[in-house]
Amino acid sequence: MQLPNPPWYRRWSVILAGVIGLAAITAMLGWRGLQEMDPQAATTTTTITTRPPSTTTTVPPTSPTTTTLSTSDILWSKTGSDIATSPGIRADGAWRIEWSFDCSNFKKYGLGNFKITGDGAFERVEIQKDGLVARGSRTFPRGGFGHLTVSSVCDRWTVTVLDA
């Protein structure tokens, strides 16, 4: 006497493929969660650090007021044109981006375009402005590690990333 074949959903190959598929989905979701995790939240060690006294530099005025920044507050600064990507930036907490651009070279077309995007912990960073000349600042409440990419058709732009 021979046993009948089990239905398709009870065969070992279908069950094995299902288990492998579920394991792959779980691994991908876990990896995505690790990428978004704040590294500061994962540590339980508390350390107290003090910054040594630092010199301050004065940013050249582009408006009637002058801004004084401590060099230890600057996480990344770049002046350029076209496209640039930052090296890895780590913000321990709240941080901000200060930016400006001059697209006067696009005056005959009406407007120029300026854009900042991020990856890693900064993947939600998206600043996009159209115009000839503009400046602004935006603060982000959560830190982490990531890169920023600036892309613009402007002749000159400046981006500074600072501890908030």
Side-chain angles (χ1 to χ4, degrees):
M1 176 173 178
Q2 188 173 2
L3 294 174
N5 284 336
W8 68 270
Y9 56 87
R10 285 189 158 173
R11 293 190 180 149
W12 70 270
S13 59
V14 174
I15 293 171
L16 180 62
V19 168
I20 291 171
L22 285 174
I25 290 170
T26 303
M28 287 175 28
L29 291 175
W31 179 255
R32 176 111 173 121
L34 284 175
Q35 287 178 335
E36 292 180 0
M37 189 174 77
D38 183 7
Q40 298 299 322
T43 59
T44 56
T45 305
T46 304
T47 57
I48 299 173
T49 59
T50 58
R51 290 186 178 162
S54 61
T55 60
T56 57
T57 57
T58 303
V59 176
T62 54
S63 65
T65 61
T66 301
T67 306
T68 302
L69 299 173
S70 169
T71 56
S72 62
D73 292 340
I74 298 174
L75 303 176
W76 180 64
S77 184
K78 178 82 174 170
T79 299
S81 61
D82 201 23
I83 299 172
T85 300
S86 72
I89 300 171
R90 177 170 305 282
D92 293 330
W95 58 283
R96 75 179 186 273
I97 298 175
E98 293 181 356
W99 53 267
S100 65
F101 65 86
D102 181 357
C103 280
S104 299
N105 58 315
F106 267 71
K107 189 172 186 173
K108 65 182 175 183
Y109 302 110
L111 299 171
N113 184 274
F114 174 80
K115 184 175 183 179
I116 303 172
T117 56
D119 69 7
F122 305 149
E123 71 182 352
R124 293 185 183 211
V125 174
E126 186 164 335
I127 299 170
Q128 183 164 352
K129 301 293 177 186
D130 295 325
L132 292 178
V133 177
R135 65 182 313 115
S137 177
R138 186 160 168 203
T139 301
F140 297 89
R142 288 186 50 208
F145 180 82
H147 301 88
L148 295 174
T149 299
V150 181
S151 46
S152 178
V153 296
C154 303
D155 269 345
R156 183 178 171 89
W157 51 259
T158 301
V159 174
T160 304
V161 179
L162 304 150
D163 277 333

